[in-house]
Amino acid sequence: DVIGARVDRNGLRPVRYYVTHDDRVLVSSEVGVIPWVTPDEIKLRSRLEPGKMFLVDLESGRVVPDSEIKETVAAAKPYGEWLAENRVFLSDWAKLQKPVEPAADFDDATTARRLVMHGYTTETMETLLAPMAIGGKEGFGSMGNDAALAVLSAEPRPVSDYFKQLFAQVTNPPIDPIREELVMSLVCPVGPESNLLDAGAENCARLVVEHPVLTPEELAALQDDGNRDGWSCATVDATFPRHGADLPPPDDANASSSDVALEAALASICEQAAAAVQGGLGRPGATILVLSDVLAGPDRLPVPTLLAVGAVHQHLLKTGQRGKAALFADAGDVKEVHDVALAVGFGADGVCPRVAYEALAKLNADGLVAARMRNDLKTLDDAPDDAELRKAYRKALAKGLLKVMSKMGISTLQSYKGAQIFEALGLHPDVVETCFSGTPSRIGGANFDALQRDVVALHDHAWGAATKKLQTDKAGAWTNVTHDDVPQLPNPGQFHYRNGGELHLNTPAGMTALQIATKANSRDTFRQYCDDVDAVNAKSTLRGILRWRPEALEKGRAAGLTLDEIEPAKEIVKRFVTGAMSLGSISRESHEALVVAMNALGGKSNTGEGGEDPVRFGDNRRSSIKQVASGRFGVTSHYLANSDQIQIKMAQGAKPGEGGELPGYKVSDYIAECRGTTPGVGLISPPPHH
């Protein structure tokens, strides 16, 4: 009887339609696709506007207006009354709770042990948490991450490091989470779901969670279910015994998977969660599940939150019970935006970063917050208290989560939740199938035993247990460390290179060799630099461990190719193109050296999106490829005319990070002149569509 269409959030995929005098309706994404329709046949030309609906009623022979459609649907049932009577808000429950202060029983030794056990480092505190708690936004760095992949690292790494976010492409353009904030939301109704095809009052009996990062009061409200009809909570312990957890798995190939304590703990957690949701004789099933590692301590190990959430979510899906309860995590190892995005993306309805709140309290108690804000405070009494730090921290996590969602073109947390928009890199198929079923994983890697060893290593460092680690290589900053008193937060150098810590592609020795090679024009020193980089590459990246298959080598040798049949190197390098590293992200000297080198080889250099000095257009410092992005930095007609190829970014943000981003202190007079901006003012290419 009817046929219709609706456009996406901002009308990015257009719909245009004609109504002809003989009552035909022609709909397409573009005009002019039906060439035989003449202008005199057309009675009405229009388009489907953002947020509106298009409906053709075939019986009455008319296009139904958008307002009429919505008024008809809205008046069909007493939706307002149903919502008023049945919908509940977590924030209302939290207001009835006494304020929960993580620092109320603040003990430096116990807090330090908890932080170490859950994988906190000095970099976590200073580089991640402090900027979020003080400024209400994430700190940022430049030039990517050159640390070893988690699966190749000798250091204990969180499970979240084994995942990479996926990003939107042309068919699904990203959103600007700042300018398009109106169409984005982190608010989610959670809890038991009723039949969507049978609208009734029970469909509105949902718990509205306004922020996926819970406050301590909200977590307490979830677990305090004494006087709430229809809302019962079950807390599942997400820890397992320390005793025996570091024993090597049996050599017997037929041994049970339960011989790995972590895997057995996950199976137990899933069973407990399913039983709680199912209920029993005379006992209704729980409508709220909380996975908590709060019992982790000297004798118990925490199950990584991501594994626990993923396993329970997948188990409840497979048993058909996921729609019966909300799933939350009381987590010790959730610290940053990536952790929250993963937890939500793999099924959590919310997380309470309990130990992160405690870490913020420690930063404040140690005076580090006041020290960082010394230029902004009149007196020390003006320093923020713990509650204000938590508020700013949650604000930063919310902004970061919106940004992560926006890069995939997703505007609401409801759509992002459980969508698993990640790729696993270096996890064993058993881990993926148990906890992250359906997630792309192109290679194998760490199994439950390997992940358990990392948990044990952190726990031993925290609680001063056995120093013997089941690591194939020395664990760098974690080797032979015991603390009878208070353990110190380690600094394995995840973000900044530290001798004996995490492997990095860029090392002081390598940079020294490169500088000597370029200054002395020494091929021998450059060969040494190449050998050093190749050696580190083989321990830290996938490309570094790629090898020719023996049969492929034998086949090549058997073909008997001669050197004359091989394309010469001087022709191959003509197809080389530099990465689009903008002026400002790298120095003027580096930017120009790359251009000169590529022009000498016959290849192509790329300006990046930071513009190019016009004085370079007439010599061998001219880049062949000019970029245009949403910041339009340095884009002029002269700039475009002096290019062999123009790259226009379809949408900024369709990749990790933000393009053209420079902190204010890096925007020198020269950079500002090239970019057409103001010296000292930070720059970023915003992510709207072009």
Side-chain angles (χ1 to χ4, degrees):
D1 295 337
V2 296
I3 187 170
R6 68 181 182 88
V7 82
D8 62 4
R9 60 178 188 270
N10 274 357
L12 298 176
R13 297 171 184 84
V15 172
R16 301 182 184 277
Y17 64 90
Y18 293 161
V19 178
T20 64
H21 289 290
D22 57 357
D23 289 334
R24 286 180 297 163
V25 179
L26 310 175
V27 182
S28 179
S29 60
E30 309 291 342
V31 296
V33 296
I34 306 176
W36 57 84
V37 177
T38 59
D40 58 349
E41 294 181 78
I42 299 171
K43 179 170 62 176
L44 172 67
R45 291 184 178 88
S46 190
R47 69 183 181 93
L48 181 52
E49 299 176 9
K52 294 193 175 182
M53 307 179 82
F54 173 75
L55 186 69
V56 178
D57 188 330
L58 300 178
E59 285 191 358
S60 60
R62 68 189 183 98
V63 176
V64 184
D66 174 80
S67 58
E68 182 180 334
I69 300 171
K70 292 173 179 174
E71 288 172 5
T72 302
V73 173
K77 301 286 179 67
Y79 297 111
E81 294 178 13
W82 292 348
L83 286 170
E85 294 173 1
N86 296 280
R87 182 176 53 175
V88 291
F89 290 84
L90 179 57
S91 57
D92 291 339
W93 290 356
K95 291 174 184 176
L96 303 177
Q97 297 292 318
K98 294 180 180 179
V100 179
E101 289 294 337
D105 58 347
F106 193 77
D107 175 72
D108 191 68
T110 305
T111 296
R113 294 185 189 281
R114 268 198 288 262
L115 292 175
V116 173
M117 177 175 62
H118 288 292
Y120 284 72
T121 67
T122 56
E123 288 184 323
T124 304
M125 303 289 278
E126 297 171 7
T127 308
L128 295 179
L129 294 186
M132 288 195 283
I134 294 173
K137 60 182 179 180
E138 292 179 272
F140 62 89
S142 61
M143 298 314 295
N145 180 10
D146 69 338
L149 291 174
V151 68
L152 299 177
S153 175
E155 306 290 341
R157 296 282 287 273
V159 180
S160 58
D161 280 3
Y162 289 84
F163 289 87
K164 304 294 182 185
Q165 299 168 9
L166 299 181
F167 297 89
Q169 302 301 324
V170 174
T171 56
N172 191 43
I175 310 169
D176 178 355
I178 299 173
R179 296 159 190 82
E180 296 182 280
E181 187 178 9
L182 184 65
V183 297
M184 302 192 72
S185 175
L186 294 178
V187 179
C188 266
V190 305
E193 301 175 11
S194 301
N195 186 357
L196 292 176
L197 302 178
D198 183 17
E202 62 276 6
N203 293 87
C204 300
R206 309 295 303 281
L207 172 64
V208 178
V209 178
E210 293 157 298
H211 195 310
V213 180
L214 307 183
T215 65
E217 291 78 14
E218 288 174 333
L219 177 64
L222 288 172
Q223 296 175 311
D224 181 15
D225 59 357
N227 298 310
R228 296 199 301 259
D229 293 337
W231 291 99
S232 58
C233 177
T235 299
V236 179
D237 177 27
T239 66
F240 61 106
R242 168 65 181 84
H243 178 69
D246 55 356
L247 296 177
D251 295 330
D252 183 4
N254 297 318
S256 168
S257 62
S258 62
D259 288 311
V260 178
L262 175 59
E263 190 171 7
L266 286 169
S268 175
I269 290 170
C270 291
E271 291 174 5
Q272 293 177 58
V277 174
Q278 185 67 31
L281 293 174
R283 178 174 58 84
T287 54
I288 298 171
L289 285 175
V290 176
L291 309 180
S292 176
D293 59 16
V294 72
L295 296 181
D299 302 320
R300 296 192 70 80
L301 300 166
V303 174
T305 298
L306 186 56
L307 293 181
V309 166
V312 170
H313 177 71
Q314 292 295 332
H315 184 72
L316 294 179
L317 282 175
K318 292 170 183 176
T319 57
Q321 300 182 86
R322 183 62 184 92
K324 296 181 179 179
L327 178 62
F328 296 93
D330 175 17
D333 56 354
V334 171
K335 319 172 186 70
E336 54 180 313
V337 172
H338 186 55
D339 298 333
V340 177
L342 280 164
V344 173
F346 283 109
D349 290 306
V351 293
C352 178
R354 182 188 72 258
V355 176
Y357 290 149
E358 190 172 1
L360 296 179
K362 178 174 173 58
L363 283 174
N364 215 10
D366 291 345
L368 296 179
V369 172
R372 283 207 173 201
M373 300 180 68
R374 60 185 179 276
N375 294 329
D376 301 319
L377 300 176
K378 293 181 179 179
T379 66
L380 290 179
D381 293 336
D382 296 329
D385 59 22
D386 292 347
E388 290 172 318
L389 292 179
R390 290 198 301 270
K391 182 178 180 180
Y393 173 64
R394 292 179 72 230
K395 177 182 177 182
L397 290 176
K399 284 183 176 179
L401 191 54
L402 286 173
K403 186 166 66 174
V404 171
M405 290 163 46
S406 73
K407 291 178 183 178
M408 197 61 202
I410 294 176
S411 55
T412 67
L413 192 67
Q414 281 182 275
S415 298
Y416 190 78
K417 188 184 300 179
Q420 303 187 185
I421 306 176
F422 300 91
E423 179 177 1
L425 188 62
L427 285 178
H428 192 277
D430 290 347
V431 178
V432 175
E433 179 57 31
T434 300
C435 304
F436 315 109
S437 182
T439 300
S441 179
R442 292 173 174 81
I443 62 172
N447 56 15
F448 282 111
D449 178 56
L451 298 177
Q452 178 176 295
R453 295 183 191 198
D454 283 350
V455 174
V456 170
L458 293 172
H459 186 274
D460 286 354
H461 178 47
W463 297 99
T467 59
K468 183 179 179 182
K469 307 290 190 300
L470 292 174
Q471 299 276 3
T472 55
D473 297 322
K474 286 186 176 181
W478 303 87
T479 304
N480 298 326
V481 177
T482 56
H483 294 285
D484 296 329
D485 298 319
V486 181
Q488 299 297 308
L489 287 181
N491 186 357
Q494 177 66 26
F495 301 133
H496 302 100
Y497 177 89
R498 286 184 67 85
N499 189 31
E502 183 63 87
L503 278 175
H504 286 263
L505 284 176
N506 297 310
T507 65
M511 293 301 100
T512 300
L514 180 60
Q515 289 176 351
I516 293 174
T518 54
K519 290 177 180 178
N521 197 23
S522 169
R523 184 171 291 276
D524 290 339
T525 310
F526 185 72
R527 172 51 56 191
Q528 176 191 337
Y529 163 73
C530 293
D531 292 341
D532 290 344
V533 171
D534 288 343
V536 176
N537 215 3
K539 298 178 182 179
S540 57
T541 67
L542 293 182
R543 63 180 179 273
I545 58 177
L546 279 175
R547 299 291 183 270
W548 287 103
R549 298 204 323 250
E551 59 269 25
L553 288 174
E554 290 299 325
K555 185 177 180 181
R557 294 191 185 101
L561 293 173
T562 64
L563 197 59
D564 293 338
E565 298 175 84
I566 307 300
E567 186 177 11
K570 67 179 182 180
E571 296 299 323
I572 295 175
V573 296
K574 291 180 181 178
R575 297 194 293 273
F576 283 13
V577 178
T578 63
M581 295 176 287
S582 62
L583 179 62
S585 68
I586 59 176
S587 69
R588 176 180 181 178
E589 294 80 4
S590 298
H591 200 266
E592 293 182 0
L594 287 169
V595 180
V596 171
M598 296 311 295
N599 286 338
L601 292 172
K604 288 183 173 62
S605 59
N606 193 320
T607 60
E609 55 180 279
E612 187 172 75
D613 191 340
V615 302
R616 293 166 49 178
F617 293 165
D619 56 32
N620 64 346
R621 296 174 297 167
R622 170 187 175 274
S623 294
S624 301
I625 304 172
K626 301 289 196 294
Q627 265 200 2
V628 179
S630 54
R632 303 289 195 275
F633 297 134
V635 177
T636 64
S637 57
H638 194 201
Y639 171 84
L640 297 175
N642 281 276
S643 65
D644 300 329
Q645 186 180 118
I646 298 175
Q647 288 185 353
I648 301 177
K649 287 190 176 179
M650 179 283 303
Q652 183 64 50
K655 61 183 180 58
E658 285 73 38
E661 182 169 10
L662 285 181
Y665 66 85
K666 294 184 72 173
V667 184
S668 64
D669 292 342
Y670 179 73
I671 298 298
E673 182 180 357
C674 290
R675 294 194 176 204
T677 60
T678 304
V681 176
L683 300 173
I684 181 172
S685 269
H689 329 285
H690 301 299

